[in-house]
Amino acid sequence: MPRHAVSPGQGHPRSGREPESDRSRGSPRLRLLWVGLALALPHALVLWAPAGAHPLPPQSHLARFGRLVPQLRNTFGWWNLTCPVCKGLFTAIDFGLKKEPSVAWVGSMATKICNVLKIAPPTVCQSAVQLFEGDMVEVWTRSVLRPSEACGLLLGSTCGHWDIFSSWNISLPAVPKPSPQPPKPPAPGAPVSRILFLTDLHWDHDYLEGTDPNCENPLCCRRDSGLPPASRPGAGYWGEYSKCDLPLRTLESLLSGLGPAGPFDMVYWTGDIPAHNVWHQSRQDQLRALTTVTALVKKFLGPVPVYPAVGNHETTPVNGFPPPFIEGNFSSRWLYEAMAKAWESWLPDEALHTLRIGGFYALSPRPGLRLISLNMNFCSRENFWLLINSTDPAGQLQWLVGELQAAEDRGDKVHIIGHIPPGHCLKSWSWNYYRIVARYENTLAGQFFGHTHVDEFEVFYDEETLSRPLSVAFLAPSATTYIGLNPGYRVYEIDGNYPGSSHVVLDHETYILNLTQANEPGAVPRWQRLYRARETYGLPNALPAAWHDLVYRMRGDTQLFQTFWFLYHKGHPPSEPCGMPCRLTILCAQLSARSDSPALCRHLVPDGSFPDDQSLQPRPPLC
């Protein structure tokens, strides 16, 4: 399938390449590259696979690849490959890719792997490979992957060790940590602010009513989805409970119907603007989504200040965010510059400066409050550019420490917004972030993320005992229906704008559009409040200890958990019941703000074990 046409300066300006000849494919060097590619691309290939509607077990790169290795061995005849021969092969692969790069050949190999493993339909495999191939080869040739690591991953730990994502630590200032000072409830009658929180809008330019919601592609309800069988209805006018995103009219309905939920003092908007057709996107497509939806937000919110964060779907290929030291056509400058232009009316010059460099920024929306917008793609398990170097990409965490220390020195409070939640990050990034939160617990008043599409939270604890709740990250549900959900948005009530305000979250509300009702003939879409957190869960306040206690109350109270399960899915839960293993996995995710840390869930089960050998980590994102 031909590469998508793009405007000058927006697409990859790569010269056309003639197909490799059979003779060239048969050369020893290129045969070795076939083997290497089987390791280089599976991480990207799995991104196109249709996700289950509500997956529970977490899957890291290594876990996913561990399932693919036996199939790859069988397909490509690696069962008898010895460790010394493997290391020799990969030494030649490294040399071959540096001396004789062949992106077209790499793409043909990746397409074969995608088809053999049935990761996606053949047309999706072909389009996706064409989109990813150049970036993947660039990453492979720049990465620090050594032959012993590649062979350890392929043949087992006796041959080598996969150590690309090794441990690292950021530096904290020598300033002693102040004694913990939990915030006090505001005085009666104190001002309260309302913050509109938007995340995961996922506008699908090609959404088409009446098309097949259950097509074979990873994203349906689109012009290329075809018609459903006569026995099944097609996609609804306002959206669909399936692997579908939203038409623009639904986003217009959301923004035009905000009145009953307002007024708002400001808006936090944590990204993921384009749709999930990640196998068929150009830079022009992504910029169209950015400018179209930004204009829509400005139209309906008017003078209300909006503070965005960068999602993992903003770029193409999806998840591909190179660190700032990557220059030229592979850099993210095209995206950051477009964001700076689109958002310049909302952000001051100091924020636009760091946004242009690394997609993150800090500003002061009001006296006594500092807002920090993080580019969480630099922590992402799916960002293949981090194979080059995953140690504090862009120096973002060290910059965060400086911002928090300066806020502490001034006596300011801080809100952090971002797309991917900390518990879903690479382990070293996540653990360093956890350490930063613990150090600045008195300064950090709120954390707000999205990405998972469902309604949940992550509790942080003191590092010494992992028993004292000291912060909570709120994970708001998505605007999009993907997968099988009602559209929704969140409103946070925070301690308001007055001298001495704690700026902590006092409560939150979630609003949805009930698609079953909205898609009825002649119906008018009605956005309604689904629930109010403190009232529904019987919380004394919205501080970390209250959310910690809620998890342990849900462990023993089936009815309370079923309420959480219903709201977790924005009022449209799956038909399959969530039994005890499922319940404990979900509850563990609410305690796991630190990636790959089973100790955080040890008290959920009396004997410290976990049923069915489920992993004690958060569930993977739906996107």
Side-chain angles (χ1 to χ4, degrees), residues 465-482:
T465 67
L466 292 179
S467 62
R468 179 176 64 86
L470 53 81
S471 187
V472 60
F474 294 99
L475 281 54
S478 62
T480 188
T481 56
Y482 189 92

Side-chain angles (χ1 to χ4, degrees), residues 185-350:
V192 174
S193 294
R194 290 177 71 81
I195 298 178
L196 171 64
F197 191 89
L198 301 172
T199 190
D200 298 275
L201 274 61
H202 290 291
W203 165 47
D204 188 355
H205 176 269
D206 291 326
Y207 186 97
L208 185 61
E209 179 190 9
T211 54
D212 190 357
N214 296 297
C215 68
E216 66 172 359
N217 288 343
L219 183 65
C220 299
C221 303
R222 316 184 77 236
R223 298 182 189 279
D224 61 0
S225 299
L227 297 175
S231 59
R232 288 194 285 106
Y237 184 78
W238 296 104
E240 189 57 54
Y241 294 126
S242 189
K243 49 182 182 178
C244 305
D245 282 321
L246 293 179
L248 195 64
R249 57 180 168 267
T250 306
L251 296 178
E252 289 178 321
S253 173
L254 185 161
L255 293 167
S256 65
L258 288 170
F264 307 111
D265 295 88
M266 50 189 170
V267 180
Y268 293 166
W269 177 20
T270 60
D272 268 16
I273 305 170
H276 285 85
N277 60 320
V278 299
W279 69 95
H280 199 275
Q281 292 175 334
S282 68
R283 290 182 177 182
Q284 187 177 31
D285 295 330
Q286 309 309 83
L287 296 182
R288 176 180 61 185
L290 170 68
T291 55
T292 300
V293 177
T294 296
L296 203 63
V297 171
K298 288 180 178 179
K299 174 183 176 181
F300 289 104
L301 287 166
V304 180
V306 178
Y307 304 117
V310 183
N312 63 300
H313 277 264
E314 264 67 271
T315 193
T316 185
V318 66
N319 301 307
F321 285 83
F325 65 78
I326 300 295
E327 299 178 347
N329 188 57
F330 287 105
S331 80
S332 293
R333 182 171 296 276
W334 65 275
L335 177 61
Y336 299 150
E337 288 288 348
M339 288 176 169
K341 182 178 180 180
W343 301 339
E344 63 183 352
S345 63
W346 294 329
L347 306 179
D349 288 343
E350 61 164 340

Side-chain angles (χ1 to χ4, degrees), residues 103-121:
V103 174
W105 170 84
V106 165
S108 68
M109 180 59 193
T111 302
K112 179 177 180 180
I113 294 174
C114 185
N115 289 328
V116 166
L117 299 183
K118 294 182 171 54
I119 290 172

Side-chain angles (χ1 to χ4, degrees), residues 238 241 250 253 486-488 511-515 518 525-528:
W238 296 104
Y241 294 126
T250 306
S253 173
N486 283 310
Y511 291 76
I512 65 162
L513 175 66
N514 185 311
L515 280 182
R526 186 172 68 90
W527 295 82
Q528 55 191 296

